[in-house]
Amino acid sequence: MQNTHPFIARTLADHELLAALDLARLNYPPANWVKTRTGPDNKPLIDVLIVGAGMCGQTAAFALLREGVRNIRIIDSKPHGKEGPWGTYARMPTLRSPKQINGPDLGIPSLTFRAWYEAQHGAEGWADLYKISRLDWLNYLLWIRRVAGIPVENNITLRSVDAEPEWICATLEQSNAQTETVYARKVVLALGREGSGDAKRLTFPSFDPETDTNLTRVFHSSDEIDFKALKGKRISILGAGASSFDNAGTALEAGATSVTMFARRPHLPQVNKSKWSVFSGFMRGYAALDTQARWRMYTYIFDEQSPPPHESVLRCEKHAGFSIRFSEPWLDMQTTTAGVNIHTSKGAYTFDTAILATGFSIDLPARQELASIRGSIALWKDHVPAEVAASHPVAARFPFLGKGFELTERVPGSKPGLERIHIFNWGSTMSHGALSSDIPGMATGALRLADNIVQTLFSEDEHLHYASLLAFEDPELAPTSYFIERDKRSSASTPE
Ligand SMILES: Cc1cc2nc3c(=O)[nH]c(=O)nc-3n(C[C@H](O)[C@H](O)[C@H](O)COP(=O)(O)OP(=O)(O)OC[C@H]3O[C@@H](n4cnc5c(N)ncnc54)[C@H](O)[C@@H]3O)c2cc1C
């Protein structure tokens, strides 16, 4: 659409110049101020290693760069453009959020999605837009990354971390299997939705994903799935959340004969209570609540669950082959060369393929990368009475994080250095609210994280900064007749 607004650029290339100008006007990025520390390999320590360059990792990096923390590395195991779900396993045409969302821009108007979109489609195009296309969101994130100069290194996987009092030792693996040991003062784990656990791959009495021989018939919704191969097939989906509908819609549009969805509940959840939490008071205030108040609020939000967006439901309902069977949990599943046999509380069925849209588990200590520190990590179950924890076992497994998303110790003093690891993914939700997962809270989260890291990087080197303060010279009066050389001045105060 032709842009007619006088203050909106005619092309994205022109808009990019404006965004660069905005960043320059904000003096971005400021000079690095962090003191160099040396690691055990006699090389300078990395100040912050960010693992995961999805939306949260890249925004955390942007927030740190904006604060002059420039000795950072940000890595992702996936190739460029494949980070996160947007171009991989997210299967909805548009975002679930309304179009008026901010986050990756960190409050800079020319970096907002709206500005990016208007530069290409005009103010009228923005007014006409219903919801943001999923792939537009991906391209927008990659655009910000480029404009803000966020230095992502792709195809590098974090394999392990260990905490020492002065640094974190991390083993990184390149795609050619070469490994590298690096030392960082801080590590931010921005590993995504599955990053504090894993995809929930269920087992049944007759099905074990570890040993099953017909695994081409069973997928988790976050797997790569060749939907074209599902043409003419009967699909079963376990779960009735947003991803269930997105996978069902994609399968039906690819020509699947039928999709039968199975839900444990008697009806779909009706209200997404986390939408309520998108206001400044909650996003800034929640983490300041005591343990009991936070537990009460978030276990309620979890219990209520979220309905799928109505667009996803309507997308499936268009197809005659779509159905949902409520109050019908799976009791058993068995794969054969001919199909997948499902036994529920109400009957037995055979399908060609099963998709488990069962979400992601929460079990941070089980993450392979954290094997060396797993016994030291405090969880919410360590902070609430046992019977309370037992009433909400999933909430109880969330890590119990500190003010800056840092890990805390189960037994204080037992693993110095643990607090150098920050969990900036879905795992922080019980401690901070959804500030490192969903789009609306992310900027608040990234700024909080950066603030906390900046404080530590500064205060740990207070003595060095004090020495810099003493050595600081600024010949402000040099052009005047009142200038005095340093060694000829009488000092007003005597430094200690
Ligand atoms: C299908 C789907 C749809 C969603 N839709 C919306 C929506 O509409 N609105 C909304 O607000 N939220 C939505 N969300 C929630 C949230 O916005 C996304 O999950 C978002 O991607 C979170 O960003 P992230 O950076 O935490 O994780 P991700 O974007 O998943 O990024 C994590 C990155 O970490 C990398 N990584 C993981 N392990 C390692 C390792 N060991 N070493 C190196 N790299 C590693 C991964 O490759 C990945 O790129 C959706 C989530 C999903 C799954």
Side-chain angles (χ1 to χ4, degrees):
M1 190 174 291
Q2 183 58 44
N3 175 34
T4 53
H5 193 289
F7 300 127
I8 293 177
R10 294 281 181 272
T11 65
L12 186 58
D14 280 353
H15 180 71
E16 203 165 313
L17 295 176
L18 174 68
L21 184 61
D22 274 353
L23 288 171
R25 284 170 170 162
L26 290 167
N27 304 313
Y28 171 88
N32 187 63
W33 54 265
V34 187
K35 301 290 180 194
T36 303
R37 285 192 171 199
T38 306
D41 54 358
N42 283 325
K43 292 185 189 159
L45 286 173
I46 300 165
D47 288 328
V48 187
L49 170 65
I50 300 176
V51 186
M55 192 175 75
C56 288
Q58 92 163 37
T59 309
F62 185 23
L64 286 166
L65 290 171
R66 227 167 69 151
E67 296 300 330
V69 179
R70 297 183 60 175
N71 171 24
I72 65 176
R73 280 183 73 178
I74 168 163
I75 61 163
D76 199 292
S77 52
K78 296 284 171 56
H80 178 83
K82 296 286 180 195
E83 304 90 345
W86 315 113
T88 53
Y89 68 87
R91 300 189 169 112
M92 64 286 180
T94 59
L95 290 195
R96 295 166 186 165
S97 313
K99 68 177 179 180
Q100 299 84 355
I101 36 172
N102 296 117
D105 51 82
L106 290 183
I108 299 170
S110 59
L111 294 184
T112 56
F113 178 85
R114 175 173 172 173
W116 178 86
Y117 191 85
E118 283 178 337
Q120 297 166 87
H121 305 281
E124 297 83 355
W126 171 254
D128 289 348
L129 179 69
Y130 172 55
K131 277 192 169 181
I132 296 172
S133 131
R134 169 173 56 81
L135 292 178
D136 270 359
W137 186 251
L138 170 65
N139 288 326
Y140 161 68
L141 289 175
L142 294 174
W143 177 78
I144 288 218
R145 185 190 296 181
R146 185 162 54 77
V147 173
I150 300 164
V152 173
E153 300 171 62
N154 288 99
N155 305 309
I156 301 182
T157 301
L158 173 76
R159 288 295 174 210
S160 66
V161 288
D162 199 5
E164 298 287 340
E166 301 279 316
W167 53 70
I168 300 297
C169 171
T171 308
L172 311 184
E173 187 179 308
Q174 314 266 354
S175 51
N176 63 6
Q178 264 196 333
T179 57
E180 178 191 8
T181 301
V182 298
Y183 299 89
R185 289 176 70 175
K186 289 281 188 181
V187 171
V188 174
L189 297 179
L191 308 180
R193 205 70 170 183
E194 57 273 57
S196 288
D198 209 345
K200 258 196 239 161
R201 295 178 192 277
L202 302 187
T203 55
F204 292 94
S206 311
F207 175 78
D208 182 348
E210 298 290 326
T211 53
D212 195 81
T213 49
N214 300 299
L215 267 188
T216 51
R217 294 192 174 276
V218 181
F219 299 96
H220 186 270
S221 55
S222 63
D223 288 340
E224 206 175 297
I225 302 176
D226 177 8
F227 280 90
K228 284 196 214 90
L230 302 186
K231 186 170 180 190
K233 304 279 194 247
R234 298 156 303 162
I235 317 298
S236 58
I237 296 190
L238 180 58
S243 286
S244 311
F245 284 88
D246 296 337
N247 279 271
T250 309
L252 290 161
E253 286 161 13
T257 313
S258 66
V259 170
T260 311
M261 201 178 272
F262 291 84
R264 218 174 2 203
R265 288 190 161 222
H267 54 73
L268 293 177
Q270 298 294 305
V271 182
N272 180 355
K273 294 281 179 173
S274 51
K275 272 190 186 169
W276 166 88
S277 68
V278 181
F279 61 97
S280 189
F282 183 86
M283 292 194 292
R284 292 182 195 280
Y286 173 80
L289 297 177
D290 65 23
T291 305
Q292 205 187 350
R294 284 185 285 169
W295 177 268
R296 186 173 69 162
M297 275 199 178
Y298 245 99
T299 52
Y300 172 71
I301 292 177
F302 287 160
D303 282 350
E304 287 297 296
Q305 300 190 325
S306 304
H310 67 264
E311 297 89 345
S312 303
V313 180
L314 292 173
R315 179 184 177 196
C316 293
E317 281 192 319
K318 279 191 216 141
H319 297 266
F322 176 72
S323 61
I324 313 182
R325 302 187 71 87
F326 288 108
S327 304
E328 205 169 337
W330 291 6
L331 303 180
D332 200 6
M333 176 171 82
Q334 181 188 43
T335 66
T336 68
T337 49
V340 185
N341 300 324
I342 310 277
H343 293 265
T344 72
S345 51
K346 295 183 183 166
Y349 311 85
T350 299
F351 297 96
D352 297 302
T353 299
I355 299 177
L356 307 177
T358 40
F360 302 100
S361 63
I362 285 289
D363 196 356
L364 188 68
R367 292 285 306 187
Q368 212 35 51
E369 302 94 331
L370 303 182
S372 68
I373 54 169
R374 64 172 48 128
S376 309
I377 300 171
L379 305 178
W380 270 76
K381 71 177 167 132
D382 301 315
H383 286 262
V384 296
E387 65 281 7
V388 173
S391 69
H392 286 90
V394 175
R397 281 199 298 276
F398 273 73
F400 192 89
L401 304 178
K403 286 190 164 75
F405 298 88
E406 72 277 19
L407 289 175
T408 56
E409 295 159 303
R410 287 182 65 205
V411 179
S414 61
K415 188 71 181 165
L418 199 74
E419 73 289 350
R420 294 185 180 277
I421 300 176
H422 298 249
I423 303 299
F424 199 59
N425 59 52
W426 175 245
S428 75
T429 304
M430 281 295 295
S431 301
H432 284 266
L435 297 194
S436 56
S437 49
D438 298 341
I439 301 163
M442 195 192 30
T444 308
L447 295 174
R448 183 178 299 170
L449 174 79
D451 221 34
N452 181 274
I453 289 178
V454 162
Q455 282 171 18
T456 310
L457 293 178
F458 175 78
S459 58
E460 280 186 344
D461 287 334
E462 180 272 336
H463 57 295
L464 296 177
H465 289 293
Y466 183 60
S468 296
L469 169 65
L470 298 186
F472 180 67
E473 267 301 300
D474 180 30
E476 176 72 32
L477 292 179
T480 75
S481 58
Y482 296 97
F483 180 65
I484 306 169
E485 295 289 348
R486 182 174 185 135
D487 53 355
K488 299 193 180 107
R489 285 175 224 159
S490 59
S491 180
S493 63
T494 311
E496 289 162 23

